[in-house]
Amino acid sequence: MKAAIELNKTPRAKPSRSGLNYFVKTFGCQMNEHDSERIAGLFEYDGMLKANSLEQADVLFINTCTIRENADDKLYGTLGQLKKWKSENSNRKLLVGGCAAQKDKELVRERAPWVDVVIGTHNLTNIVNLLNQSEDWGPITEVIDEIESLPTDAPSIRESEVSAWLTIQIGCNNSCTFCIVPSVRGPEISRRPSDIVNEATAMIDSGVKEITLLGQNVNSYGRDLKINGSSKPYFTELLTELNNVEGLKRIRFTSPHPKDFKPETLIAVNDLDKVANQIHMPLQSGSNKILRKMQRGYTQEKFLEKLNLAKDTIEDVSLTTDIIVGFPGETDVDFEETLKVIKESQFDAVYMFKFSPRPGTTANTMDDDFIEKEVIDSRFMKLKEIQTEISHVRYKRFIGTDQKLLVEKYSKKTNTFMSGKIDGGQTVHIPSQDVSIGDFLDVRIIEATPFALTAEII
Ligand code: 5AD
Ligand code: SF4
């Protein structure tokens, strides 16, 4: 692995693309959104400016996702629509990167020959170099199996001025049987604590108030670094180091794995004043039979034990989870077990997914046990209905309470409201009068839906 990228290693003497405009369109998770900020950083280093729309763009980067089948379908649908965009101006460049590009490689240009560059997840920092090469020699695909450089080696242009992603780890060493992530993102690699703290400090200097630590399995952070000769995770210590960064208001992290959650991390979340009292504990299924088939490494009982420990340790903790409905072999009885855990856990929010077979995963070979679409749809609706009620009750607990709100942006629908998040991670809307982006305000919650809160300044 290279220690840092050589930003000026273009193979020809061309100054830059100043005067040209770029646009980055992102599908998928927070890791992808953050990678897109790095792509934007590299493009701006090359002299380009962000376009306000696709129409204005000379260079378009599509950052793809492949976690579920419909993400793949969306990509090829989008590329189909972009054929027209490309044909309108022969100087336009269409670049495709991210997880679906890593998986499909040459297939991307077989299905959409108008694409100029296909780049994988392991060499993202080479994007400008590949763009240059495509201009000189024609369309190019560069998808490699080994990590060449970390995206974090590249400069970044953040979407939000006040809340920033901070990658602490890339890849994943687990082997959940439904998940394609290890095959497209590679094995777990942790960044050095000093690099992370330095990046956090630089972010604060540029106006950031809140950071969200990103990794596929954050509680195993540091195992590979052998800090002080030990292969123990260093996540709790990292939280403590970041809590000391002056000027930082709030720290969040995602995603942890229930099997790797340590009691000391829960204590640190409660005790460290800047770490938000919010835990995402991805359950996936409540049935022990299905959890075993998923290779999740815990049982329903162990999961509930950890969740209850989180509730007992962290004051007014906000809990969220992920559920996959319709994993191969899931019976009505298995699904009832999931509903039982959902009712008992009282999550603030549940991210729900319908099982989607992914190529190369073990679950993809369980086709004898695949569940009918209609059954999955009806279970999904039932889960949604039950959780919406629970979320509403959970959100209503805030009415009349005072909370610290970090104002992040104008609300999507109207300029008369702004929105941000409180400590528990819930979205809050507030009248925009006398409020600015970046304010860290004391507010009183006055209204709750199952998905958001409304507040007034106190
Ligand atoms: N099908 C459905 N959902 C999936 N997830 C991951 N892989 C699949 C799949 N093949 C969900 C899991 C994970 C979240 C990020 O996406 O719930 O926690
Ligand atoms: Fe996928 Fe499991 Fe790794 Fe999460 S922990 S990225 S679900 S393999």
Side-chain angles (χ1 to χ4, degrees), residues 25 27 62 73-83 114:
K25 190 169 169 53
F27 295 97
I62 311 282
D73 295 346
K74 243 195 242 166
L75 165 65
Y76 290 106
T78 304
L79 291 180
Q81 288 160 13
L82 287 170
K83 188 177 182 187
W114 48 94

Side-chain angles (χ1 to χ4, degrees), residues 172 174 176 178-179 181-182 216 257 296:
C172 179
N174 288 320
C176 304
F178 52 80
C179 188
V181 167
Q216 304 295 349
H257 193 302
R296 287 290 289 175

Side-chain angles (χ1 to χ4, degrees), residues 5 58 98 102 111 158 162 191 241 301 307 352 358:
I5 59 160
D58 304 292
Q102 182 71 32
R111 292 183 66 173
R158 280 191 307 275
V162 295
R191 290 177 75 198
E241 283 189 35
E301 293 74 18
L307 199 79
M352 303 166 196
R358 306 311 295 128

Side-chain angles (χ1 to χ4, degrees), residues 185-250:
R185 289 279 177 174
E188 209 171 276
I189 298 176
S190 303
R191 290 177 75 198
R192 287 191 314 203
S194 55
D195 288 348
I196 295 168
V197 171
N198 287 344
E199 192 177 350
T201 309
M203 284 172 169
I204 306 308
D205 290 344
S206 69
V208 166
K209 305 267 170 75
E210 172 186 278
I211 57 175
T212 301
L213 309 178
L214 284 184
Q216 304 295 349
N217 187 7
V218 289
N219 13 37
S220 65
Y221 165 80
R223 275 191 304 206
D224 52 322
L225 294 176
K226 305 253 176 339
I227 297 172
N228 302 326
S230 154
S231 50
K232 263 180 51 203
Y234 194 77
F235 185 59
T236 310
E237 293 81 351
L238 180 71
L239 286 179
T240 311
E241 283 189 35
L242 288 167
N243 197 66
N244 292 332
V245 172
E246 216 163 300
L248 184 56
K249 298 282 186 207
R250 205 184 256 155

Side-chain angles (χ1 to χ4, degrees), residues 11-12 17 59 86 91-95 109 115-118 126-141:
R12 60 182 177 169
R17 287 186 179 73
V59 172
K86 260 290 281 186
N91 291 325
R92 281 178 167 168
K93 292 281 165 192
L94 178 56
L95 325 179
R109 277 197 309 105
V115 169
D116 295 289
V117 176
V118 179
N126 205 22
I127 188 63
V128 173
N129 200 12
L130 292 180
L131 179 55
N132 293 344
Q133 290 185 35
S134 78
E135 280 175 357
D136 290 346
W137 303 307
I140 183 166
T141 297

Side-chain angles (χ1 to χ4, degrees), residues 395 405 409 419-422 424-429 451-454:
Y395 272 48
L405 171 66
K409 55 187 174 198
S419 71
K421 291 200 180 70
I422 55 172
Q426 293 81 6
T427 295
V428 172
H429 299 287
F451 316 105
L453 304 167
T454 308

Side-chain angles (χ1 to χ4, degrees), residues 23 92 109 143-144 146 163 195 240 253 378 393 406 434:
F23 195 84
R92 281 178 167 168
R109 277 197 309 105
V143 177
I144 54 176
E146 299 257 308
S163 181
D195 288 348
T240 311
F253 56 86
S378 95
V393 172
L406 176 62
D434 303 326

Side-chain angles (χ1 to χ4, degrees), residues 194-388:
S194 55
D195 288 348
I196 295 168
V197 171
N198 287 344
E199 192 177 350
T201 309
M203 284 172 169
I204 306 308
D205 290 344
S206 69
V208 166
K209 305 267 170 75
E210 172 186 278
I211 57 175
T212 301
L213 309 178
L214 284 184
Q216 304 295 349
N217 187 7
V218 289
N219 13 37
S220 65
Y221 165 80
R223 275 191 304 206
D224 52 322
L225 294 176
K226 305 253 176 339
I227 297 172
N228 302 326
S230 154
S231 50
K232 263 180 51 203
Y234 194 77
F235 185 59
T236 310
E237 293 81 351
L238 180 71
L239 286 179
T240 311
E241 283 189 35
L242 288 167
N243 197 66
N244 292 332
V245 172
E246 216 163 300
L248 184 56
K249 298 282 186 207
R250 205 184 256 155
I251 303 164
R252 303 185 191 278
F253 56 86
T254 196
S255 283
H257 193 302
K259 80 176 161 54
D260 295 319
F261 236 116
K262 300 268 178 300
E264 73 240 31
T265 306
L266 298 172
I267 294 170
V269 170
N270 187 61
D271 292 352
L272 298 172
D273 59 327
K274 294 175 187 169
V275 179
N277 288 359
Q278 171 201 16
I279 302 281
H280 183 65
M281 277 267 200
L283 168 67
Q284 313 298 0
S285 168
S287 149
N288 283 340
K289 181 190 91 189
I290 298 296
L291 285 170
R292 208 174 321 114
K293 283 183 82 177
M294 288 177 165
Q295 282 182 23
R296 287 290 289 175
Y298 53 83
T299 58
Q300 176 198 114
E301 293 74 18
K302 278 266 171 255
F303 179 90
L304 284 170
E305 213 177 277
K306 287 233 167 122
L307 199 79
N308 287 332
L309 189 64
K311 288 179 184 174
D312 291 343
T313 312
I314 306 169
E315 201 183 324
D316 191 27
V317 64
S318 290
L319 297 164
T320 54
T321 198
D322 290 347
I323 296 288
I324 297 179
V325 176
F327 186 84
E330 184 188 75
T331 61
D332 284 340
V333 174
D334 293 318
F335 181 62
E336 284 303 321
E337 288 292 292
T338 298
L339 293 182
K340 189 190 108 186
V341 181
I342 287 294
K343 286 177 193 161
E344 187 172 333
S345 302
Q346 297 286 302
F347 294 106
D348 278 71
V350 175
Y351 301 94
M352 303 166 196
F353 309 100
K354 295 175 187 172
F355 171 73
S356 170
R358 306 311 295 128
T361 61
T362 309
N364 196 35
T365 64
M366 302 176 183
D367 45 343
D368 284 350
D369 288 337
F370 280 2
I371 310 295
E372 280 169 49
K373 184 181 174 305
E374 293 70 32
V375 175
I376 296 185
D377 289 348
S378 95
R379 286 182 190 161
F380 188 90
M381 286 310 292
K382 189 161 180 193
L383 172 62
K384 198 167 159 194
E385 210 176 286
I386 290 172
Q387 181 56 40
T388 303

